[in-house]
Amino acid sequence: MAELPSAPRRRVVITGLGAVSPVGIGADVFASAVRAGADGTAPIQSFDASGFPRRRAGEVTDFEPTDHLKRLDPAAWGRSGLLAAAAARLAVADAGIGEEQLEQGRAGAIMGTTSGESAVVQALGEQWVADGLESIDGELAGQTPASRIANAVSAELRLHGETQTIPTACSASNYALGYAYDLVRSGEADVMLAGGADAVNRLTHAGFYALGAMAEDLPRPFAADRTGILTGEGGAVLLLETLEHARERGARIYAEILGYAANCDAAHMVHPDAASIAACIRAAHRNAGVEPEQIDYICAHGTGTPTNDTTEVAAAREVFGGRIPPISSIKSMLGHTMGAASGFGAIACCKALEQDFLPPTANVTEADPALGDGVDCVPGTGREARLDIVQNHGFAFGGNNVITILGRVS
């Protein structure tokens, strides 16, 4: 039997951005803070960190769910779900798309996370330790499934399409973007909300401290004196639709998703592999139909640990040779927001394309000479630059790598 011709792939664009972040709420506030190199970290408030030698994190201290949500009862949902739903509500408003279009159309939500409803689990643990297992609040226990993060978005916006939480840790938002892109590109969905959310919590903080990956004071990715990460939190959501649909409704278009790629090192639980990351970058370029010399900027995973930054630059050298594009890390300002990290990276990329600037690596005056020549980490504050195609990195423990490629739409 002759094979039927496949339907043409639809072009997918980003028209809405929602940021609930340690440097501000709303995409414009977020972009201004990032451009200025603002520090979103401070002494931890969400739990008693006095027992830790290192007590800073990137928390969203001005987040009041009722300021943003119309349908969800904050008492019935965990903090990660509320951060995601609020960011999604902001993305929809930013896109200027009517809620009735979402309710009647084929719209869904794909959200990424590292620790799920970690703040809920922390509260349950505190109840257990204080008063025994019998004291645990059953209704609170019902808020623990990580699946509720994406469910919160769909419940808040009455989305009837595919709703899924992807738990691939610190690359999860890029996974979510890639999967949502596939759904819209293939015609399985008309509009998708994609991104991620996580909350600061004792378990994650203790885990990174125990690994020796916690920064002594501030995160300084790519700097010679970098000592590690600070944990962070937030909700980062982007609205995806077809280029045709966006133009029909006169939407502002931030960027086109040109393509993405995902792979796994399958080698070490916490140590990244340069060759595998380089292979993922090359695959993303192939899928996006671009050449290395066309990439104007890399939004790095850039955790600030000696190992990550060295490996990430080495992988970039494998692909780009002597000309590495400017490569910076917004984790220097937000802390490591875990499952939301590459979602915030994608938002920063969209705003950089819109506003013609390079996001900076804050807290840094120059790149570590040991990384080699030609590493422009955009130290300190953002700077003006014309960008046409940008590359967004997301890496996770277990060797999960995802690269998304975004481009300007003329």
Side-chain angles (χ1 to χ4, degrees):
M1 180 181 294
E3 187 173 320
L4 294 174
S6 59
R9 297 287 187 177
R10 308 195 298 177
R11 294 174 66 184
V12 180
V13 296
I14 296 167
T15 57
L17 306 174
V20 181
S21 85
V23 295
I25 295 176
D28 288 333
V29 173
F30 171 82
S32 295
V34 165
R35 192 166 188 168
D39 179 15
T41 69
I44 292 170
Q45 298 182 28
S46 60
F47 66 88
D48 180 5
S50 59
F52 292 96
R54 299 174 188 176
R55 308 184 187 100
R56 293 180 70 88
E59 295 179 302
V60 189
T61 56
D62 56 348
F63 176 55
E64 176 50 61
T66 55
D67 290 343
H68 307 281
L69 303 177
K70 299 179 181 179
R71 296 190 176 103
L72 297 187
D73 174 7
W77 294 84
R79 183 170 176 84
S80 297
L82 294 172
L83 289 166
R89 177 66 74 181
L90 289 168
V92 168
D94 186 55
I97 192 169
E99 290 186 41
E100 67 283 352
Q101 290 181 269
L102 297 177
E103 293 177 20
Q104 296 169 10
R106 296 179 303 162
I110 311 295
M111 295 292 124
T113 191
T114 293
S115 302
E117 286 295 0
S118 52
V120 173
V121 175
Q122 176 181 303
L124 292 169
E126 290 169 352
Q127 290 177 358
W128 190 347
V129 169
D131 298 305
L133 183 60
E134 295 77 11
S135 70
I136 284 180
D137 181 341
E139 291 188 4
L140 185 63
Q143 297 178 16
T144 58
S147 58
R148 286 171 59 87
I149 296 174
N151 291 349
V153 172
S154 289
E156 171 65 21
L157 296 168
R158 291 181 180 165
L159 309 180
H160 302 293
E162 183 162 354
T163 299
Q164 185 174 156
T165 302
I166 296 179
T168 45
C170 305
S171 59
S173 281
N174 259 359
Y175 269 104
L177 280 170
Y179 186 36
Y181 161 74
D182 284 340
L183 291 172
V184 176
R185 181 179 61 152
S186 66
E188 295 179 64
D190 296 321
V191 178
M192 291 298 296
L193 280 298
D198 264 298
V200 162
N201 63 95
R202 181 186 298 275
L203 175 64
T204 302
H205 187 85
F208 278 96
Y209 177 75
L211 282 171
M214 189 72 69
E216 293 176 2
D217 48 10
L218 294 174
R220 296 183 177 87
F222 305 114
D225 61 348
R226 64 191 185 276
T227 55
I229 76 160
L230 294 183
T231 58
E233 68 177 3
V237 176
L238 302 91
L239 189 143
L240 283 60
E241 59 185 302
T242 65
L243 176 60
E244 180 182 18
H245 187 259
R247 284 178 169 165
E248 282 178 355
R249 67 182 191 87
R252 170 186 51 198
I253 298 171
Y254 287 108
E256 180 177 1
I257 301 180
L258 301 177
Y260 77 100
N263 72 1
C264 184
D265 300 346
H268 195 280
M269 186 52 65
V270 298
H271 196 295
D273 181 79
S276 180
I277 292 170
C280 192
I281 295 172
R282 291 191 184 100
H285 289 177
R286 285 195 304 272
N287 294 339
V290 302
E291 299 296 331
E293 57 269 22
Q294 293 178 271
I295 302 298
D296 297 314
Y297 165 66
I298 298 172
C299 190
H301 188 59
T303 61
T305 64
T307 297
N308 175 89
D309 298 358
T310 300
T311 304
E312 190 164 11
V313 169
R317 286 194 189 281
E318 280 196 42
V319 176
F320 293 96
R323 178 216 163 258
I324 299 177
I327 177 170
S328 70
S329 173
I330 63 172
K331 290 181 179 68
S332 59
M333 295 166 271
L334 310 181
H336 192 335
T337 55
M338 304 297 152
S342 50
F344 282 124
I347 292 174
C349 285
C350 287
K351 281 296 186 181
L353 286 165
E354 179 197 33
Q355 299 178 5
D356 294 318
F357 77 97
L358 290 166
T361 306
N363 314 317
V364 176
T365 55
E366 64 178 359
D368 182 357
L371 296 174
D373 294 335
V375 177
D376 176 8
C377 67
V378 196
T381 58
R383 68 172 186 260
E384 293 184 4
R386 164 75 183 197
L387 307 176
D388 290 307
I389 301 177
V390 299
Q391 179 172 308
N392 184 36
H393 288 186
F395 311 144
F397 285 170
N400 288 298
N401 309 310
V402 190
I403 310 291
T404 50
I405 308 294
L406 308 180
R408 182 186 297 269
V409 175
S410 57

